[in-house]
Amino acid sequence: MDHGASRTSGTTAGTGGLATAPAGLRERKKERTREALIDAALELFWRKGYDATTIDEIVAAVDVSRRTFFRYFAGKEEVALARSNEVERSLVGALAERPSAEPPVVALRQATRAIMAALEGDPKRGSSEAYVRTRRLIEANPTLMAATLRHAMETERLMAAEIARRQGVDPHTDLRPALTVSCFNAVVRVAMDEWTERGAMHTSELAAAIDEAWRAMAGLIESGWLGSGWASDED
């Protein structure tokens, strides 16, 4: 299977424009293989546990070789976090596409809504059941939790850099982009925790939970809970 796939690369003289069709088929086949590996890995992790699952079991479930697995993923950690990492990368991209006139928090909220809408139309990622099971898998495993936190920190840096670019400030000397993103992500994390605790719901309800958390944050600011104590003791 692997050897046959490797021989399909390249073009044949005289095929002209027809060479693009096999290339498109190859890309779709690669994407299907990647998705199948993620599905098989997650199912095994949920059923047997992350540590008890081997790469050999994952590739056997998809009927591919270990070499094929390592074409797509560096190891079990990467395949376990593949879908959650894809969502975070998509959020950074969605933020970059927001109109430049939008204030930072508006752009962040609208980018999140766009990602939620895209997930809602995706049968794999729009289902809360898979998300909740994966999140509990991560929380139960220190290795996956550490990797998730590392990736979240990198995503926050990218988001802060994008906010700084939009606002025309230097993220290395101006703390406002990083503080804005950290505050935004804290609200989203609280909403996701609440959503997870409620049980299996659809992605659209996660979007509603995020909006609810933002209303609560606005209430905190307006009520005065956050109105004092921010200045240093020296001030």
Side-chain angles (χ1 to χ4, degrees):
M1 181 173 180
D2 299 327
H3 296 307
S6 65
R7 286 197 298 269
T8 59
S9 61
T11 59
T12 302
T15 57
L18 295 178
T20 58
L25 290 172
R26 285 197 299 273
E27 289 304 312
R28 289 195 294 272
K29 181 179 178 181
K30 286 167 61 177
E31 182 60 23
R32 286 195 298 268
T33 301
R34 183 179 183 278
E35 288 296 313
L37 285 167
I38 295 173
D39 287 341
L42 290 176
E43 187 59 41
L44 285 164
F45 294 154
W46 295 332
R47 181 159 49 86
K48 296 187 58 179
Y50 177 78
D51 292 327
T53 300
T54 66
I55 291 175
D56 286 337
E57 290 173 312
I58 297 171
V59 299
V62 185
D63 194 23
V64 298
S65 68
R66 286 175 62 91
R67 189 176 72 171
T68 295
F69 177 91
F70 287 111
R71 286 177 184 166
Y72 297 93
F73 305 104
K76 288 199 306 180
E77 178 183 297
E78 188 172 322
V79 73
L81 302 178
R83 294 225 168 99
S84 60
N85 289 349
E86 286 169 4
V87 172
E88 291 191 8
R89 286 194 296 270
S90 296
L91 179 57
V92 176
L95 177 60
E97 294 174 358
R98 297 306 308 167
S100 59
E102 284 184 343
V105 172
V106 174
L108 286 163
R109 293 184 69 177
Q110 292 297 339
T112 302
R113 286 194 180 105
I115 294 302
M116 291 295 102
L119 292 177
E120 189 173 354
D122 188 316
K124 289 184 182 296
R125 298 170 179 82
S127 167
S128 64
E129 180 184 359
Y131 173 83
V132 170
R133 292 174 74 187
T134 301
R135 185 166 184 181
R136 288 173 178 166
L137 173 74
I138 292 170
E139 291 173 348
N141 188 282
T143 299
L144 293 180
M145 179 61 78
T148 299
L149 292 175
R150 288 196 305 271
H151 193 273
M153 291 173 63
E154 177 58 26
T155 301
E156 284 200 2
R157 282 193 289 268
L158 293 174
M159 292 171 69
E162 178 56 27
I163 292 295
R165 183 194 68 79
R166 292 169 58 88
Q167 298 301 112
V169 300
D170 184 350
H172 301 293
T173 58
D174 193 321
L175 295 178
R176 289 176 296 176
L179 289 171
T180 299
V181 170
S182 294
C183 177
F184 172 80
N185 285 340
V187 172
V188 172
R189 278 193 290 270
V190 169
M192 293 178 81
D193 286 342
E194 177 66 18
W195 181 73
T196 302
E197 288 302 314
R198 291 177 188 174
M201 295 178 291
H202 203 271
T203 308
S204 60
E205 293 178 273
L206 173 57
I210 293 173
D211 284 341
E212 181 182 337
W214 271 111
R215 286 192 293 272
M217 173 61 81
L220 280 177
I221 296 171
E222 292 169 1
S223 67
W225 273 44
L226 303 180
S228 61
W230 293 98
S232 68
D233 293 337
E234 296 176 355
D235 297 336

